[in-house]
Amino acid sequence: MKGKGCIVVVVIVAIIGIIAFWAIGKRNGFVGMEQNVNAKWSNVETVYQKRANLIPNLERTVKSYAKFEQETLTKVVEARSKATSVNIDPTNMTEADMAKFQAAQGELSGALSRLMAVVENYPNLKADQQYINFQREYTAIENSIRSETVYYNDAAKEYNTNIKTFPNNVIANFSNFKEKPYFKAEAGAEKAPSVFSE
């Protein structure tokens, strides 16, 4: 009888050990996925910052044309300031944080679109080499923004799916892993804005 009791204890300890190792492995996997999401978010912020960093060069180029509409340029500079002031902690990111970030970036996009529309009335500015360089770089950055937001959403989807499926959700809830918000398209985004004319 004593031998059977030892076997039962060994089996119970083995089962507990297997469950513990499984749980630790899952938790560590969540950590890796969360770090991937955070890295992807950092890439998103980097390309948006790169776009914001173009504005001073654009401002210098445009200001050299005395007749250029100052109010439109001022709105771009103000929108840039607002967009760069929105900082998000990717470890505690919420839907509200994401919406605030996207709203600020959308305001900058809108201001830039209005500026580009006004530039159309200034053929000398449109032909300026610095402005042409800005156009090329701006277009490349906008493409990067689209790519990086897709990569972020893919990483967030993988992470969210893993922490929400059973039995992973038990470990995720116990370890305080929270769902990451998705980067969403702005209203009207299905119609691509025409920033530069050919």
Side-chain angles (χ1 to χ4, degrees), residues 9 12 30 87 111-112 125 131 136 150-151 154 165 185:
V9 169
I12 290 172
F30 297 156
N87 295 314
L112 281 168
L125 176 56
Y131 183 76
R136 285 189 192 119
V150 167
Y151 299 149
D154 288 344
T165 55

Side-chain angles (χ1 to χ4, degrees), residues 38-193:
N38 294 346
K40 299 293 185 198
W41 177 251
S42 179
N43 293 345
V44 169
E45 287 182 319
T46 299
V47 291
Y48 273 113
Q49 185 61 51
K50 205 171 170 185
R51 180 179 75 170
N53 291 346
L54 284 178
I55 306 301
N57 290 341
L58 174 66
E59 183 181 10
R60 281 190 293 278
T61 302
V62 169
K63 274 185 176 176
S64 66
Y65 290 84
K67 295 180 185 176
F68 197 79
E69 297 179 29
Q70 188 61 37
E71 181 184 343
T72 306
L73 184 58
T74 300
K75 287 183 179 176
V76 170
V77 173
E78 288 170 355
R80 176 196 184 266
S81 176
K82 186 175 179 182
T84 56
S85 71
V86 177
N87 295 314
I88 295 179
D89 176 6
T91 59
N92 295 317
M93 193 182 329
T94 65
E95 290 283 340
D97 292 336
M98 181 67 80
K100 185 177 175 184
F101 180 84
Q102 285 188 257
Q105 295 301 333
E107 192 175 317
L108 179 55
S109 294
L112 281 168
S113 293
R114 286 186 293 281
L115 178 69
M116 299 313 157
V118 170
V119 165
E120 294 301 312
N121 297 326
Y122 295 85
N124 291 341
L125 176 56
K126 274 177 57 177
D128 184 281
Q129 189 59 47
Q130 286 181 314
Y131 183 76
I132 292 168
N133 293 342
F134 167 80
Q135 283 182 307
R136 285 189 192 119
E137 198 166 347
Y138 179 82
T139 301
I141 289 172
E142 286 296 318
N143 289 334
S144 293
I145 287 171
R146 282 186 279 288
S147 297
E148 293 301 336
T149 56
V150 167
Y151 299 149
Y152 166 80
N153 279 348
D154 288 344
K157 178 184 174 195
E158 180 184 5
Y159 169 80
N160 290 342
T161 301
N162 268 281
I163 68 165
K164 291 178 90 174
T165 55
F166 183 80
N168 296 353
N169 62 341
V170 175
I171 297 161
N173 289 335
F174 182 72
S175 300
N176 205 26
F177 285 96
K178 296 192 178 7
E179 186 175 359
K180 301 291 184 184
Y182 292 106
F183 201 95
K184 297 177 184 163
E186 295 177 53
E190 65 278 358
K191 296 175 187 159

